[in-house]
Amino acid sequence: MHRPVLLVIAHGSRDPRHAATVHALVRRVRSLRPELRVETGFLDFNIPSVPGVLDSLATEGVRDVVALPLLLTRAFHAKADIPAVLADADPRLRIRQADVLGPSPLLLAALERRLYEAGLTPADKSSTGVVLASAGSSDPEAIAVIAAIAREWRHTGWCAVRPAFASASLPRTEDAVSELLALGCERVAVAPYVLAPGFLPDRIARGAARADVLADVLGPAPEVARVLLERYDAARVPVQAAVGA
C-alpha cells in the first residue's frame, strides 16, 4: 500500500530542549508505525529546515507528502506560515497539509498523564483546581479553543479548570493560580498545554510558583504520538485518491 511520507513541521527554538523533545516525539511515532517514513523539519532556528527537507525528498524521487504542523491550535503558523512554505515546494511534490493536533481527547489524556506523573492521583481530582496553561495567541479562534478545552476538562471531575496564557492573551498562569486558590480548591496544579520546553513554557513554570503541582510539557507522551498518526491517516486519504485517479 502506498504511504506518503510524513513530514512533521515544528516551530523551532533557540532552546536546545525544544528540538530534542521534537525528535523524541518523532522517534515514538516511528516506534508505533515502523513501516512509515517520518521526517522532521523546522520553520526557524533549527535544522533541517522545512524547505530543505522538501527539496531533498523531491530530489530523492518522493512524490507524496503529508505535512503535519506540530501545533496544538490553528493560529498564524498553521494558517499562514506553513501553507506559504509548502506552496513554494518543488512542484513535483504532492503535499497535503494535515490538521493541527488539538483539540483531541488523547491530548486531555496526555495532560492527565503528566499531572499524575507529577504526583497527583485520580482520587485528587475532585479537590484539585487545574490551570490549563498554553503558550498564548493573538488569534481569537485559538483562544476560544483553549477556553473550550478547559470547560470540557472541568466536566471530567476536577474541582475547577481555568485557562491561562504565557503571551498575547490573559490571564497569566499566576493569575489563574490565584483565582483557584481564592476559589477554595484544596490544591492547585498547573498543566502546560505545550509540546516542548522553551521560553514560554519557562514563563508558565515561573507563574506556577504558588501552585502545589507543576506538570511537565506534553513532549513525547504516547497519546501525542497517537494524535500525530490520527492526523496523518486523516490527511493521507485524499493523497491516495489523487494517486489512484
Side-chain angles (χ1 to χ4, degrees), residues 6-13 18-20 22-23 26 30 37-57 85:
L6 169 57
L7 172 58
V8 176
I9 300 179
H11 182 273
S13 171
H18 174 89
V22 170
H23 291 309
V26 169
R30 291 183 180 129
R37 179 173 176 182
V38 187
E39 301 291 343
T40 308
F42 295 90
L43 291 174
D44 207 353
F45 302 118
N46 302 105
I47 55 174
S49 68
V50 176
V53 175
L54 291 171
D55 286 347
S56 295
L57 291 173
V85 171

PDB file of all heavy atoms in Angstrom, residues 6-13 18-20 22-23 26 30 37-57 85:
ATOM      1  N   LEU A   6       5.512  11.180   5.938  1.00  0.00           N
ATOM      2  CA  LEU A   6       5.003  12.116   6.949  1.00  0.00           C
ATOM      3  C   LEU A   6       6.106  13.108   7.290  1.00  0.00           C
ATOM      4  O   LEU A   6       7.177  12.713   7.762  1.00  0.00           O
ATOM      5  CB  LEU A   6       4.573  11.356   8.206  1.00  0.00           C
ATOM      6  CG  LEU A   6       4.254  12.210   9.451  1.00  0.00           C
ATOM      7  CD1 LEU A   6       3.174  13.237   9.173  1.00  0.00           C
ATOM      8  CD2 LEU A   6       3.869  11.316  10.630  1.00  0.00           C
ATOM      9  N   LEU A   7       5.842  14.374   7.027  1.00  0.00           N
ATOM     10  CA  LEU A   7       6.779  15.439   7.388  1.00  0.00           C
ATOM     11  C   LEU A   7       6.210  16.197   8.583  1.00  0.00           C
ATOM     12  O   LEU A   7       5.200  16.899   8.465  1.00  0.00           O
ATOM     13  CB  LEU A   7       6.999  16.399   6.216  1.00  0.00           C
ATOM     14  CG  LEU A   7       7.806  17.658   6.529  1.00  0.00           C
ATOM     15  CD1 LEU A   7       9.193  17.312   7.066  1.00  0.00           C
ATOM     16  CD2 LEU A   7       7.901  18.570   5.308  1.00  0.00           C
ATOM     17  N   VAL A   8       6.837  16.037   9.723  1.00  0.00           N
ATOM     18  CA  VAL A   8       6.431  16.742  10.937  1.00  0.00           C
ATOM     19  C   VAL A   8       7.083  18.121  10.925  1.00  0.00           C
ATOM     20  O   VAL A   8       8.314  18.232  10.861  1.00  0.00           O
ATOM     21  CB  VAL A   8       6.843  15.953  12.190  1.00  0.00           C
ATOM     22  CG1 VAL A   8       6.506  16.740  13.450  1.00  0.00           C
ATOM     23  CG2 VAL A   8       6.155  14.586  12.208  1.00  0.00           C
ATOM     24  N   ILE A   9       6.269  19.166  10.982  1.00  0.00           N
ATOM     25  CA  ILE A   9       6.777  20.539  10.906  1.00  0.00           C
ATOM     26  C   ILE A   9       6.706  21.171  12.288  1.00  0.00           C
ATOM     27  O   ILE A   9       5.617  21.427  12.823  1.00  0.00           O
ATOM     28  CB  ILE A   9       5.976  21.371   9.892  1.00  0.00           C
ATOM     29  CG1 ILE A   9       6.078  20.755   8.500  1.00  0.00           C
ATOM     30  CG2 ILE A   9       6.477  22.817   9.882  1.00  0.00           C
ATOM     31  CD1 ILE A   9       5.299  21.506   7.434  1.00  0.00           C
ATOM     32  N   ALA A  10       7.872  21.415  12.866  1.00  0.00           N
ATOM     33  CA  ALA A  10       7.955  22.038  14.187  1.00  0.00           C
ATOM     34  C   ALA A  10       8.342  23.501  14.043  1.00  0.00           C
ATOM     35  O   ALA A  10       8.951  23.911  13.046  1.00  0.00           O
ATOM     36  CB  ALA A  10       8.980  21.303  15.049  1.00  0.00           C
ATOM     37  N   HIS A  11       8.014  24.290  15.063  1.00  0.00           N
ATOM     38  CA  HIS A  11       8.311  25.717  15.005  1.00  0.00           C
ATOM     39  C   HIS A  11       9.808  25.982  15.045  1.00  0.00           C
ATOM     40  O   HIS A  11      10.348  26.788  14.288  1.00  0.00           O
ATOM     41  CB  HIS A  11       7.629  26.448  16.166  1.00  0.00           C
ATOM     42  CG  HIS A  11       7.840  27.927  16.150  1.00  0.00           C
ATOM     43  ND1 HIS A  11       8.935  28.539  16.738  1.00  0.00           N
ATOM     44  CD2 HIS A  11       7.104  28.915  15.590  1.00  0.00           C
ATOM     45  CE1 HIS A  11       8.856  29.850  16.532  1.00  0.00           C
ATOM     46  NE2 HIS A  11       7.755  30.101  15.857  1.00  0.00           N
ATOM     47  N   GLY A  12      10.500  25.308  15.966  1.00  0.00           N
ATOM     48  CA  GLY A  12      11.924  25.587  16.167  1.00  0.00           C
ATOM     49  C   GLY A  12      12.135  26.574  17.291  1.00  0.00           C
ATOM     50  O   GLY A  12      11.247  27.361  17.634  1.00  0.00           O
ATOM     51  N   SER A  13      13.325  26.523  17.896  1.00  0.00           N
ATOM     52  CA  SER A  13      13.624  27.387  19.042  1.00  0.00           C
ATOM     53  C   SER A  13      15.127  27.465  19.239  1.00  0.00           C
ATOM     54  O   SER A  13      15.865  26.532  18.882  1.00  0.00           O
ATOM     55  CB  SER A  13      12.971  26.818  20.306  1.00  0.00           C
ATOM     56  OG  SER A  13      13.398  27.490  21.467  1.00  0.00           O
ATOM     57  N   HIS A  18      13.980  22.181  22.937  1.00  0.00           N
ATOM     58  CA  HIS A  18      12.856  22.124  22.001  1.00  0.00           C
ATOM     59  C   HIS A  18      13.092  21.058  20.943  1.00  0.00           C
ATOM     60  O   HIS A  18      12.276  20.136  20.769  1.00  0.00           O
ATOM     61  CB  HIS A  18      12.656  23.500  21.353  1.00  0.00           C
ATOM     62  CG  HIS A  18      11.618  23.515  20.264  1.00  0.00           C
ATOM     63  ND1 HIS A  18      10.290  23.750  20.501  1.00  0.00           N
ATOM     64  CD2 HIS A  18      11.726  23.304  18.930  1.00  0.00           C
ATOM     65  CE1 HIS A  18       9.615  23.696  19.355  1.00  0.00           C
ATOM     66  NE2 HIS A  18      10.468  23.427  18.399  1.00  0.00           N
ATOM     67  N   ALA A  19      14.196  21.176  20.215  1.00  0.00           N
ATOM     68  CA  ALA A  19      14.483  20.221  19.139  1.00  0.00           C
ATOM     69  C   ALA A  19      14.651  18.811  19.689  1.00  0.00           C
ATOM     70  O   ALA A  19      14.188  17.836  19.083  1.00  0.00           O
ATOM     71  CB  ALA A  19      15.731  20.640  18.367  1.00  0.00           C
ATOM     72  N   ALA A  20      15.282  18.694  20.854  1.00  0.00           N
ATOM     73  CA  ALA A  20      15.469  17.363  21.453  1.00  0.00           C
ATOM     74  C   ALA A  20      14.124  16.708  21.739  1.00  0.00           C
ATOM     75  O   ALA A  20      13.939  15.499  21.518  1.00  0.00           O
ATOM     76  CB  ALA A  20      16.298  17.473  22.723  1.00  0.00           C
ATOM     77  N   VAL A  22      11.195  17.429  20.232  1.00  0.00           N
ATOM     78  CA  VAL A  22      10.560  17.127  18.943  1.00  0.00           C
ATOM     79  C   VAL A  22      11.091  15.807  18.393  1.00  0.00           C
ATOM     80  O   VAL A  22      10.329  14.934  17.942  1.00  0.00           O
ATOM     81  CB  VAL A  22      10.786  18.272  17.942  1.00  0.00           C
ATOM     82  CG1 VAL A  22      10.347  17.858  16.535  1.00  0.00           C
ATOM     83  CG2 VAL A  22      10.038  19.527  18.383  1.00  0.00           C
ATOM     84  N   HIS A  23      12.407  15.637  18.429  1.00  0.00           N
ATOM     85  CA  HIS A  23      12.998  14.401  17.906  1.00  0.00           C
ATOM     86  C   HIS A  23      12.568  13.193  18.732  1.00  0.00           C
ATOM     87  O   HIS A  23      12.352  12.103  18.182  1.00  0.00           O
ATOM     88  CB  HIS A  23      14.517  14.520  17.866  1.00  0.00           C
ATOM     89  CG  HIS A  23      15.018  15.488  16.834  1.00  0.00           C
ATOM     90  ND1 HIS A  23      14.620  15.439  15.512  1.00  0.00           N
ATOM     91  CD2 HIS A  23      15.884  16.538  16.917  1.00  0.00           C
ATOM     92  CE1 HIS A  23      15.216  16.404  14.828  1.00  0.00           C
ATOM     93  NE2 HIS A  23      15.990  17.084  15.658  1.00  0.00           N
ATOM     94  N   VAL A  26       9.099  12.295  17.569  1.00  0.00           N
ATOM     95  CA  VAL A  26       9.139  11.642  16.257  1.00  0.00           C
ATOM     96  C   VAL A  26       9.635  10.201  16.379  1.00  0.00           C
ATOM     97  O   VAL A  26       9.133   9.298  15.706  1.00  0.00           O
ATOM     98  CB  VAL A  26      10.000  12.464  15.281  1.00  0.00           C
ATOM     99  CG1 VAL A  26      10.279  11.681  13.993  1.00  0.00           C
ATOM    100  CG2 VAL A  26       9.309  13.786  14.950  1.00  0.00           C
ATOM    101  N   ARG A  30       7.649   6.845  15.109  1.00  0.00           N
ATOM    102  CA  ARG A  30       8.255   5.773  14.304  1.00  0.00           C
ATOM    103  C   ARG A  30       8.119   4.420  14.980  1.00  0.00           C
ATOM    104  O   ARG A  30       7.911   3.398  14.321  1.00  0.00           O
ATOM    105  CB  ARG A  30       9.731   6.088  14.046  1.00  0.00           C
ATOM    106  CG  ARG A  30       9.967   7.280  13.116  1.00  0.00           C
ATOM    107  CD  ARG A  30      11.450   7.464  12.871  1.00  0.00           C
ATOM    108  NE  ARG A  30      11.722   8.593  11.983  1.00  0.00           N
ATOM    109  CZ  ARG A  30      12.584   9.568  12.252  1.00  0.00           C
ATOM    110  NH1 ARG A  30      13.258   9.556  13.408  1.00  0.00           N
ATOM    111  NH2 ARG A  30      12.768  10.550  11.402  1.00  0.00           N
ATOM    112  N   ARG A  37       7.585   6.176   6.861  1.00  0.00           N
ATOM    113  CA  ARG A  37       8.746   7.088   6.834  1.00  0.00           C
ATOM    114  C   ARG A  37       8.327   8.431   7.418  1.00  0.00           C
ATOM    115  O   ARG A  37       7.371   9.065   6.938  1.00  0.00           O
ATOM    116  CB  ARG A  37       9.262   7.277   5.419  1.00  0.00           C
ATOM    117  CG  ARG A  37      10.458   8.242   5.348  1.00  0.00           C
ATOM    118  CD  ARG A  37      11.057   8.297   3.981  1.00  0.00           C
ATOM    119  NE  ARG A  37      12.132   9.283   3.913  1.00  0.00           N
ATOM    120  CZ  ARG A  37      12.818   9.571   2.816  1.00  0.00           C
ATOM    121  NH1 ARG A  37      12.555   8.927   1.676  1.00  0.00           N
ATOM    122  NH2 ARG A  37      13.775  10.482   2.835  1.00  0.00           N
ATOM    123  N   VAL A  38       9.045   8.873   8.437  1.00  0.00           N
ATOM    124  CA  VAL A  38       8.735  10.126   9.124  1.00  0.00           C
ATOM    125  C   VAL A  38       9.972  11.021   9.088  1.00  0.00           C
ATOM    126  O   VAL A  38      11.053  10.618   9.512  1.00  0.00           O
ATOM    127  CB  VAL A  38       8.306   9.888  10.587  1.00  0.00           C
ATOM    128  CG1 VAL A  38       7.829  11.198  11.207  1.00  0.00           C
ATOM    129  CG2 VAL A  38       7.220   8.827  10.679  1.00  0.00           C
ATOM    130  N   GLU A  39       9.808  12.226   8.581  1.00  0.00           N
ATOM    131  CA  GLU A  39      10.874  13.223   8.558  1.00  0.00           C
ATOM    132  C   GLU A  39      10.473  14.417   9.421  1.00  0.00           C
ATOM    133  O   GLU A  39       9.287  14.630   9.699  1.00  0.00           O
ATOM    134  CB  GLU A  39      11.149  13.691   7.120  1.00  0.00           C
ATOM    135  CG  GLU A  39      11.563  12.583   6.161  1.00  0.00           C
ATOM    136  CD  GLU A  39      12.939  12.028   6.470  1.00  0.00           C
ATOM    137  OE1 GLU A  39      13.708  12.704   7.197  1.00  0.00           O
ATOM    138  OE2 GLU A  39      13.263  10.929   5.982  1.00  0.00           O
ATOM    139  N   THR A  40      11.460  15.198   9.812  1.00  0.00           N
ATOM    140  CA  THR A  40      11.226  16.363  10.658  1.00  0.00           C
ATOM    141  C   THR A  40      11.841  17.599  10.010  1.00  0.00           C
ATOM    142  O   THR A  40      12.984  17.555   9.532  1.00  0.00           O
ATOM    143  CB  THR A  40      11.857  16.175  12.047  1.00  0.00           C
ATOM    144  OG1 THR A  40      11.422  14.933  12.595  1.00  0.00           O
ATOM    145  CG2 THR A  40      11.461  17.308  12.977  1.00  0.00           C
ATOM    146  N   GLY A  41      11.081  18.695   9.988  1.00  0.00           N
ATOM    147  CA  GLY A  41      11.594  19.963   9.505  1.00  0.00           C
ATOM    148  C   GLY A  41      11.185  21.085  10.448  1.00  0.00           C
ATOM    149  O   GLY A  41      10.150  20.997  11.119  1.00  0.00           O
ATOM    150  N   PHE A  42      11.997  22.136  10.508  1.00  0.00           N
ATOM    151  CA  PHE A  42      11.741  23.255  11.416  1.00  0.00           C
ATOM    152  C   PHE A  42      11.508  24.541  10.622  1.00  0.00           C
ATOM    153  O   PHE A  42      12.159  24.782   9.603  1.00  0.00           O
ATOM    154  CB  PHE A  42      12.915  23.449  12.369  1.00  0.00           C
ATOM    155  CG  PHE A  42      13.132  22.290  13.308  1.00  0.00           C
ATOM    156  CD1 PHE A  42      13.958  21.232  12.949  1.00  0.00           C
ATOM    157  CD2 PHE A  42      12.502  22.247  14.539  1.00  0.00           C
ATOM    158  CE1 PHE A  42      14.156  20.160  13.810  1.00  0.00           C
ATOM    159  CE2 PHE A  42      12.685  21.181  15.404  1.00  0.00           C
ATOM    160  CZ  PHE A  42      13.518  20.135  15.041  1.00  0.00           C
ATOM    161  N   LEU A  43      10.586  25.359  11.114  1.00  0.00           N
ATOM    162  CA  LEU A  43      10.310  26.636  10.472  1.00  0.00           C
ATOM    163  C   LEU A  43      11.406  27.657  10.724  1.00  0.00           C
ATOM    164  O   LEU A  43      11.663  28.531   9.888  1.00  0.00           O
ATOM    165  CB  LEU A  43       8.978  27.199  10.974  1.00  0.00           C
ATOM    166  CG  LEU A  43       7.712  26.466  10.542  1.00  0.00           C
ATOM    167  CD1 LEU A  43       6.502  27.065  11.250  1.00  0.00           C
ATOM    168  CD2 LEU A  43       7.535  26.536   9.026  1.00  0.00           C
ATOM    169  N   ASP A  44      12.050  27.569  11.879  1.00  0.00           N
ATOM    170  CA  ASP A  44      13.034  28.586  12.255  1.00  0.00           C
ATOM    171  C   ASP A  44      14.001  28.007  13.275  1.00  0.00           C
ATOM    172  O   ASP A  44      13.705  27.013  13.942  1.00  0.00           O
ATOM    173  CB  ASP A  44      12.318  29.801  12.857  1.00  0.00           C
ATOM    174  CG  ASP A  44      13.097  31.098  12.668  1.00  0.00           C
ATOM    175  OD1 ASP A  44      14.250  31.035  12.195  1.00  0.00           O
ATOM    176  OD2 ASP A  44      12.542  32.163  13.001  1.00  0.00           O
ATOM    177  N   PHE A  45      15.167  28.607  13.367  1.00  0.00           N
ATOM    178  CA  PHE A  45      16.167  28.364  14.410  1.00  0.00           C
ATOM    179  C   PHE A  45      16.911  27.025  14.297  1.00  0.00           C
ATOM    180  O   PHE A  45      18.086  26.940  14.635  1.00  0.00           O
ATOM    181  CB  PHE A  45      15.563  28.470  15.818  1.00  0.00           C
ATOM    182  CG  PHE A  45      14.937  29.791  16.112  1.00  0.00           C
ATOM    183  CD1 PHE A  45      13.585  29.882  16.386  1.00  0.00           C
ATOM    184  CD2 PHE A  45      15.699  30.957  16.093  1.00  0.00           C
ATOM    185  CE1 PHE A  45      12.996  31.107  16.660  1.00  0.00           C
ATOM    186  CE2 PHE A  45      15.119  32.191  16.367  1.00  0.00           C
ATOM    187  CZ  PHE A  45      13.774  32.260  16.646  1.00  0.00           C
ATOM    188  N   ASN A  46      16.224  25.967  13.898  1.00  0.00           N
ATOM    189  CA  ASN A  46      16.855  24.645  13.881  1.00  0.00           C
ATOM    190  C   ASN A  46      16.943  24.090  12.464  1.00  0.00           C
ATOM    191  O   ASN A  46      16.256  24.557  11.561  1.00  0.00           O
ATOM    192  CB  ASN A  46      16.043  23.658  14.755  1.00  0.00           C
ATOM    193  CG  ASN A  46      15.904  24.119  16.176  1.00  0.00           C
ATOM    194  OD1 ASN A  46      14.849  24.580  16.592  1.00  0.00           O
ATOM    195  ND2 ASN A  46      16.971  24.013  16.946  1.00  0.00           N
ATOM    196  N   ILE A  47      17.788  23.100  12.303  1.00  0.00           N
ATOM    197  CA  ILE A  47      17.891  22.385  11.040  1.00  0.00           C
ATOM    198  C   ILE A  47      17.539  20.922  11.273  1.00  0.00           C
ATOM    199  O   ILE A  47      17.710  20.423  12.393  1.00  0.00           O
ATOM    200  CB  ILE A  47      19.305  22.526  10.413  1.00  0.00           C
ATOM    201  CG1 ILE A  47      20.375  22.071  11.402  1.00  0.00           C
ATOM    202  CG2 ILE A  47      19.549  23.940   9.939  1.00  0.00           C
ATOM    203  CD1 ILE A  47      21.773  22.032  10.802  1.00  0.00           C
ATOM    204  N   PRO A  48      17.037  20.258  10.222  1.00  0.00           N
ATOM    205  CA  PRO A  48      16.838  20.746   8.855  1.00  0.00           C
ATOM    206  C   PRO A  48      15.618  21.665   8.745  1.00  0.00           C
ATOM    207  O   PRO A  48      14.654  21.514   9.493  1.00  0.00           O
ATOM    208  CB  PRO A  48      16.642  19.458   8.056  1.00  0.00           C
ATOM    209  CG  PRO A  48      16.011  18.518   9.034  1.00  0.00           C
ATOM    210  CD  PRO A  48      16.653  18.827  10.354  1.00  0.00           C
ATOM    211  N   SER A  49      15.684  22.584   7.808  1.00  0.00           N
ATOM    212  CA  SER A  49      14.552  23.469   7.553  1.00  0.00           C
ATOM    213  C   SER A  49      13.499  22.718   6.751  1.00  0.00           C
ATOM    214  O   SER A  49      13.795  21.720   6.073  1.00  0.00           O
ATOM    215  CB  SER A  49      15.007  24.698   6.773  1.00  0.00           C
ATOM    216  OG  SER A  49      15.401  24.331   5.459  1.00  0.00           O
ATOM    217  N   VAL A  50      12.278  23.209   6.812  1.00  0.00           N
ATOM    218  CA  VAL A  50      11.204  22.581   6.033  1.00  0.00           C
ATOM    219  C   VAL A  50      11.508  22.630   4.539  1.00  0.00           C
ATOM    220  O   VAL A  50      11.404  21.594   3.856  1.00  0.00           O
ATOM    221  CB  VAL A  50       9.847  23.240   6.355  1.00  0.00           C
ATOM    222  CG1 VAL A  50       8.744  22.663   5.465  1.00  0.00           C
ATOM    223  CG2 VAL A  50       9.493  23.052   7.823  1.00  0.00           C
ATOM    224  N   PRO A  51      11.919  23.782   3.974  1.00  0.00           N
ATOM    225  CA  PRO A  51      12.250  23.785   2.546  1.00  0.00           C
ATOM    226  C   PRO A  51      13.380  22.804   2.209  1.00  0.00           C
ATOM    227  O   PRO A  51      13.345  22.149   1.157  1.00  0.00           O
ATOM    228  CB  PRO A  51      12.675  25.236   2.272  1.00  0.00           C
ATOM    229  CG  PRO A  51      11.980  26.028   3.321  1.00  0.00           C
ATOM    230  CD  PRO A  51      11.986  25.155   4.543  1.00  0.00           C
ATOM    231  N   GLY A  52      14.365  22.703   3.090  1.00  0.00           N
ATOM    232  CA  GLY A  52      15.465  21.790   2.836  1.00  0.00           C
ATOM    233  C   GLY A  52      15.015  20.342   2.784  1.00  0.00           C
ATOM    234  O   GLY A  52      15.449  19.568   1.919  1.00  0.00           O
ATOM    235  N   VAL A  53      14.145  19.957   3.709  1.00  0.00           N
ATOM    236  CA  VAL A  53      13.636  18.584   3.710  1.00  0.00           C
ATOM    237  C   VAL A  53      12.811  18.325   2.455  1.00  0.00           C
ATOM    238  O   VAL A  53      12.946  17.272   1.808  1.00  0.00           O
ATOM    239  CB  VAL A  53      12.798  18.314   4.973  1.00  0.00           C
ATOM    240  CG1 VAL A  53      12.162  16.933   4.905  1.00  0.00           C
ATOM    241  CG2 VAL A  53      13.649  18.439   6.229  1.00  0.00           C
ATOM    242  N   LEU A  54      11.953  19.261   2.088  1.00  0.00           N
ATOM    243  CA  LEU A  54      11.117  19.080   0.902  1.00  0.00           C
ATOM    244  C   LEU A  54      11.971  18.967  -0.365  1.00  0.00           C
ATOM    245  O   LEU A  54      11.693  18.119  -1.232  1.00  0.00           O
ATOM    246  CB  LEU A  54      10.130  20.242   0.777  1.00  0.00           C
ATOM    247  CG  LEU A  54       9.030  20.285   1.847  1.00  0.00           C
ATOM    248  CD1 LEU A  54       8.245  21.588   1.753  1.00  0.00           C
ATOM    249  CD2 LEU A  54       8.090  19.093   1.711  1.00  0.00           C
ATOM    250  N   ASP A  55      13.011  19.787  -0.473  1.00  0.00           N
ATOM    251  CA  ASP A  55      13.908  19.696  -1.630  1.00  0.00           C
ATOM    252  C   ASP A  55      14.586  18.330  -1.692  1.00  0.00           C
ATOM    253  O   ASP A  55      14.696  17.723  -2.771  1.00  0.00           O
ATOM    254  CB  ASP A  55      14.970  20.800  -1.567  1.00  0.00           C
ATOM    255  CG  ASP A  55      14.416  22.175  -1.907  1.00  0.00           C
ATOM    256  OD1 ASP A  55      13.282  22.246  -2.429  1.00  0.00           O
ATOM    257  OD2 ASP A  55      15.096  23.179  -1.631  1.00  0.00           O
ATOM    258  N   SER A  56      15.031  17.844  -0.544  1.00  0.00           N
ATOM    259  CA  SER A  56      15.689  16.537  -0.502  1.00  0.00           C
ATOM    260  C   SER A  56      14.735  15.425  -0.911  1.00  0.00           C
ATOM    261  O   SER A  56      15.113  14.506  -1.655  1.00  0.00           O
ATOM    262  CB  SER A  56      16.241  16.270   0.905  1.00  0.00           C
ATOM    263  OG  SER A  56      17.255  17.186   1.236  1.00  0.00           O
ATOM    264  N   LEU A  57      13.502  15.497  -0.428  1.00  0.00           N
ATOM    265  CA  LEU A  57      12.528  14.469  -0.786  1.00  0.00           C
ATOM    266  C   LEU A  57      12.232  14.476  -2.281  1.00  0.00           C
ATOM    267  O   LEU A  57      12.153  13.414  -2.922  1.00  0.00           O
ATOM    268  CB  LEU A  57      11.234  14.689   0.004  1.00  0.00           C
ATOM    269  CG  LEU A  57      11.311  14.418   1.511  1.00  0.00           C
ATOM    270  CD1 LEU A  57      10.003  14.837   2.192  1.00  0.00           C
ATOM    271  CD2 LEU A  57      11.610  12.953   1.799  1.00  0.00           C
ATOM    272  N   VAL A  85       5.124  28.152   3.069  1.00  0.00           N
ATOM    273  CA  VAL A  85       6.315  27.339   2.844  1.00  0.00           C
ATOM    274  C   VAL A  85       5.997  26.171   1.911  1.00  0.00           C
ATOM    275  O   VAL A  85       6.759  25.855   0.986  1.00  0.00           O
ATOM    276  CB  VAL A  85       6.879  26.821   4.187  1.00  0.00           C
ATOM    277  CG1 VAL A  85       7.976  25.799   3.948  1.00  0.00           C
ATOM    278  CG2 VAL A  85       7.411  27.981   5.023  1.00  0.00           C
TER     279      VAL A  85
END
